Amino acid sequence: MNVVIIGAQWGDEGKGKIVDYLAQDAGIVVRFSGGANAGHTIVLSDTTYALHLVPSGILYADKTVLLGSGMVIEPSALFAELEDLKSKGIQWEGRVLISDRAHLVLPRYRQVDRELESKRKKPIGTTGRGIGVAYAFKASRDGIRLADIGDEDCLQNLEKEDKAYLAEWRPRLEPMAVDLVSYLHQHQNSWTLFEGAQGALLDIDTGTYPFVSSGMSCAAGAAAQGGIGPRKIDRILGVFKAYTTRVGNGPFPTEFKDDSPGSLSSYIRTTGHEYGTTTGRPRRCGYLDLVALRYACIVNSIDRLVLTHLDVYDELPEFEACVGYRIGDKVVQDFPASVKDLEQAVPVLKKFEGWKQPIDSCQSWEDLPLKAREYVEFIEDYTQTPISIISVGSERKKTIIKESPWIRS
Ligand code: IMP
């Protein structure tokens, strides 16, 4: 069975925790896109693991994790992360495999990334990891895939230092290389989790272009880049937070205008630990944008939503969520493509009463306070998508499962 998990907002929705939770029942975890721009935080016992390239299933000793064909991988960053995991007691050797169709990021791409960014009149706010550069080379057919690392013909356009860099890492990379398509075909009876990076609104095609990342963060990416055909996907889960955040630049209709100390924005940032895992940048915060979430559900065929960070609202007497955009003299519920429209959109807000009590010990749907359940049900109604998992704290056990994605309906 193949379950896909993607972010349904602008990334940082808590996918790492959910993948980690659901990986308990999976045999294989495949990360299908992105690179070291991503950051997944998992808290286990007293240890916090910050993953950038390695799929979240790595923390279970019996899981095989694969870096998929849509990923762009900087070898030095990958091995630094693996060494860090080892120092925290995670034995990864033999369990981390890399699609031989994945592209490699060369160290100089970071510099090119920063130069491109500095020339933009409206910078994107990239993570500076050379990700866009790697995808640009891939699209212009000048990239280097793991399969080609030892093929002189494929390396002929590279600089001397690039070749030296690849030659240095080749002995460690090649034993981890695998033909992802045939590997997954051979393991088609396993339960496999396909983990997306970033979020649907940062996807190169479905996101708020040009303020997006360069990979496929949409569910379709799991098929194109995860090594399986589209018909093999059994279930698609979209993860979203009770509110919205965004790192970097670009339109964000529900962003709080007031970010001063003591504001709701700064309260949410502090309570929700809304600082980038990769860059440490404070995340921009705003109310839940249901227009954007509904769009993410439609464009990704999301079967079930996963709500995270609901506990961040525990102390609020009331809060709001966006149910439409006022653009000029029209109110729309369809998410516009135009950056200008998104920048001009004034959110139409609906008020909700808070539950004013801690929910982190709730173990079931029935345990949740009525007001919290009403919020969840409103989101389900608006998006026409059931919410099957609710996360009420960062630890693995603080997760309410209404319906397991591993059960075929
Ligand atoms: P890049 O992926 O480094 O090129 O950055 C492009 C945009 O995507 C920037 O706004 C980044 O802040 C954003 N971005 C990239 N990766 C992530 C992520 O994992 N979470 C949230 N935002 C991200």
Side-chain angles (χ1 to χ4, degrees), residues 32 83 90 105 153-154 189 202 207 209 228 257 261 280 357 377 399 408:
F32 57 86
E83 292 309 319
I90 307 291
V105 175
D153 286 346
C154 295
N189 293 327
L202 283 173
Y209 191 91
I228 53 166
K257 302 279 174 280
Q357 65 185 86
E377 283 170 346
T399 312
R408 277 201 178 92

Side-chain angles (χ1 to χ4, degrees), residues 312-329:
V312 172
Y313 275 179
D314 281 357
E315 290 179 13
L316 301 185
E318 59 176 31
F319 57 89
E320 292 174 299
C322 169
V323 293
Y325 293 158
R326 188 177 298 283
I327 303 172
D329 53 4

Side-chain angles (χ1 to χ4, degrees), residues 325-377:
Y325 293 158
R326 188 177 298 283
I327 303 172
D329 53 4
K330 283 202 187 98
V331 172
V332 300
Q333 287 193 331
D334 289 327
F335 191 73
S338 149
V339 171
K340 203 161 243 130
D341 282 350
L342 285 166
E343 281 170 352
Q344 285 169 5
V346 178
V348 178
L349 296 170
K350 176 180 160 56
K351 224 172 227 154
F352 294 85
E353 269 182 59
W355 41 93
K356 293 183 285 181
Q357 65 185 86
I359 56 169
D360 68 329
S361 58
C362 295
Q363 293 284 293
S364 68
W365 171 245
E366 290 71 27
D367 289 347
L368 282 174
L370 178 66
K371 295 291 172 204
R373 281 186 274 146
E374 281 174 3
Y375 184 46
V376 173
E377 283 170 346

Side-chain angles (χ1 to χ4, degrees), residues 8 32 37 76 80 102 131 136 177 212 221 241 250 257 263 277 283-284 287 295 317 337 371 382:
F32 57 86
N37 50 349
S76 38
I131 304 305
V212 290
K241 284 193 278 221
K257 302 279 174 280
S263 64
T277 314
R283 295 180 184 142
R284 299 156 66 193
Y287 280 131
Y295 165 73
K371 295 291 172 204
Y382 189 97

Side-chain angles (χ1 to χ4, degrees), residues 31-48:
R31 158 104 177 256
F32 57 86
S33 72
N37 50 349
H40 291 169
T41 310
I42 301 163
V43 183
L44 206 58
S45 306
D46 283 336
T47 313
T48 300

